[in-house]
Amino acid sequence: NLKVESTKIEQEKETSEKSLLENNMATGEYKALADIGSSLFFVLQSFSVIDTMYQFSLKFYIKLIHLMLSKEPRLASIPGSQFEARRTLLHTLIFEFVINKTLSFIKEEDKLILILKFAELHVEKNVSKEIAGYLKHLYVSSNVVESSTSLSSLTKDFEEHHLISIEILSKLPHFEKFLDSFKKNINEWKGYLQHQAKNVDLEFLKNSELLASKSEEHQSLMIQIGQLVVSRYFNSKEFVDGCLGLVNGLFKRQILNEWQLSISNIVNEDTDSKVPILLACAQGFDPTFKIRDVAHASNVRLEDIAIGSKESYEQASSIIENGVKKGTWVLLKNVHLSVSWLKNFELKYYQ
């Protein structure tokens, strides 16, 4: 009996070790994807530096990931047994999905920065960390405020803001030979600054150490980024379209063209009855009619009230309590005039 028991224990041990090994292998295969997922979350977290209104909780982010895994039609079309195919798709899909879901919460003037930060992460994880670092120069500010005396020979041909741009570019990594190239090809640069050409030959960058060890595809990407860096400081008319072209090429999708703000999707997919929605609108725009349309389509009663006075606070509390009991929607307007009341409201209704 002891011998049989010993054999049984040994077999169970082998089975357990085999299962552990298989689990570790499976975990390892998804580690790169998990790393991308966590990095995307921290990109969103960093956006609070731009505007304190940009607050993305871990709970919200995890819900987005669950929504992608359960609802994304392209992922659903791949059988669950085809792990490699699903992982390959997820490496791109997670970027697209998170971008599309978070653009709704970003002001128009900040959307390009968000997309570029995601593109930077995409390049870091899938192409080259060194090239990804260069994408920062498309949105990070420079501290240079005036040109140096080394540019004195150019003052008669170029305006001060052009000289400052030259100063900034010449100090960037791998742009050390930019100034020499600029002086050598000064007529070509004059034409570029007068918008006679969309791009200019970056021969100094093509011959840099950074590109020497890169594949032809990576060299092409680096040159494209370099052209955009130059465009940012010299030719802003082409800059935004150029950045969108770069991002669309990286993700192989028309990111901003495909994105549309849908209050209905936000209400029905991104939140639930326990998560209030804060609408930050352009001055003078009243979105009440849009909320009413969504409520009507959802067959839900909507009550709205403009707050700001003591009487309106009492009315709002009554309407909210009634909404909790009956499942109706409540729209509070002009909440920016009632910050202190909102704090008390949050404490009360989140208990």
Side-chain angles (χ1 to χ4, degrees):
N1 287 339
L2 286 174
K3 195 171 184 180
V4 171
E5 189 69 24
S6 175
T7 302
K8 184 179 178 181
I9 292 172
E10 194 64 33
Q11 289 175 342
E12 289 177 350
K13 181 183 176 184
E14 289 179 4
T15 302
S16 176
E17 289 176 348
K18 184 180 178 181
S19 297
L20 181 62
L21 180 61
E22 290 175 349
N23 287 336
N24 286 340
M25 289 178 64
T27 302
E29 289 172 347
Y30 280 93
K31 186 178 183 301
L33 187 59
D35 182 46
I36 290 173
S38 62
S39 298
L40 281 169
F41 174 68
F42 288 116
V43 168
L44 291 176
Q45 287 277 288
S46 70
F47 243 57
S48 61
V49 176
I50 297 175
D51 194 315
T52 54
M53 290 289 288
Y54 298 146
Q55 301 290 333
F56 298 93
S57 69
L58 182 58
K59 181 180 178 181
F60 163 81
Y61 184 72
I62 290 175
K63 184 170 183 176
L64 281 189
I65 300 301
H66 284 167
L67 187 63
M68 176 187 69
L69 295 174
S70 61
K71 300 289 186 181
E72 224 309 317
R74 281 174 290 168
L75 191 62
S77 67
I78 302 176
S81 57
Q82 297 183 15
F83 302 117
E84 183 61 33
R86 288 174 67 86
R87 276 199 305 272
T88 300
L89 175 61
L90 281 169
H91 271 269
T92 300
L93 189 59
I94 190 170
F95 281 96
E96 294 177 18
F97 195 85
V98 173
I99 288 173
N100 285 329
K101 285 297 182 181
T102 53
L103 279 175
S104 302
F105 313 119
I106 303 296
K107 291 186 291 187
E108 201 65 36
E109 60 266 31
D110 296 332
K111 282 183 170 60
L112 183 61
I113 298 177
L114 178 70
I115 293 173
L116 286 173
K117 286 174 78 72
F118 280 138
E120 179 189 345
L121 180 60
H122 176 81
V123 172
E124 178 185 331
K125 301 299 182 183
N126 298 292
V127 182
S128 160
K129 192 171 184 179
E130 197 170 15
I131 294 178
Y134 230 83
L135 275 164
K136 279 189 173 66
H137 299 306
L138 298 180
Y139 62 86
V140 173
S141 300
S142 171
N143 293 323
V144 176
V145 292
E146 59 181 22
S147 59
S148 65
T149 53
S150 62
L151 304 180
S152 56
S153 62
L154 301 175
T155 54
K156 63 179 181 179
D157 294 312
F158 300 97
E159 298 176 18
E160 178 64 18
H161 67 92
H162 287 147
L163 298 177
I164 292 174
S165 296
I166 295 170
E167 184 81 16
I168 293 170
L169 289 168
S170 64
K171 293 181 182 300
L172 295 181
H174 309 292
F175 267 67
E176 294 88 350
K177 297 180 180 179
F178 168 74
L179 182 56
D180 291 337
S181 176
F182 189 94
K183 292 178 178 178
K184 178 182 175 183
N185 303 287
I186 195 164
N187 289 328
E188 182 183 354
W189 281 99
K190 283 181 179 179
Y192 176 74
L193 295 177
Q194 292 168 3
H195 307 295
Q196 295 173 4
K198 287 188 176 182
N199 291 316
V200 68
D201 186 17
L202 302 181
E203 58 171 336
F204 66 92
L205 193 57
K206 293 176 182 177
N207 300 325
S208 68
E209 293 181 8
L210 175 64
L211 268 66
S213 59
K214 303 298 181 186
S215 67
E216 188 174 332
E217 182 182 2
H218 290 178
Q219 287 182 11
S220 177
L221 176 60
M222 184 61 191
I223 293 297
Q224 186 181 6
I225 296 171
Q227 292 284 4
L228 288 174
V229 171
V230 171
S231 176
R232 178 189 178 187
Y233 292 104
F234 283 140
N235 197 350
S236 57
K237 289 174 64 177
E238 307 290 339
F239 178 66
V240 174
D241 288 342
C243 286
L244 291 177
L246 170 69
V247 173
N248 292 338
L250 289 171
F251 293 117
K252 297 179 173 58
R253 299 288 293 267
Q254 300 293 314
I255 298 294
L256 278 184
N257 290 348
E258 293 180 4
W259 172 81
Q260 288 184 334
L261 174 63
S262 171
I263 296 177
S264 178
N265 286 346
I266 293 172
V267 170
N268 296 317
E269 295 181 3
D270 302 342
T271 60
D272 54 41
S273 59
K274 296 180 181 178
V275 181
I277 301 171
L278 178 65
L279 296 175
C281 306
Q283 189 173 2
F285 177 74
D286 184 358
T288 303
F289 73 99
K290 288 182 175 288
I291 308 300
R292 284 183 181 144
D293 289 344
V294 175
H296 179 73
S298 304
N299 198 26
V300 178
R301 183 183 174 188
L302 171 69
E303 293 194 63
D304 62 271
I305 181 172
I307 60 175
S309 64
K310 183 178 180 181
E311 295 77 14
S312 65
Y313 297 151
E314 293 174 354
Q315 283 182 281
S317 296
S318 176
I319 292 173
I320 292 168
E321 288 175 7
N322 186 57
V324 170
K325 293 175 184 177
K326 297 184 177 181
T328 56
W329 291 1
V330 179
L331 175 62
L332 303 177
K333 297 189 286 187
N334 298 336
V335 293
H336 61 290
L337 303 175
S338 309
V339 177
S340 58
W341 179 83
L342 276 178
K343 291 179 181 178
N344 294 329
F345 163 78
E346 186 176 19
L347 291 172
K348 181 178 179 180
Y349 287 96
Y350 273 83
Q351 289 175 350

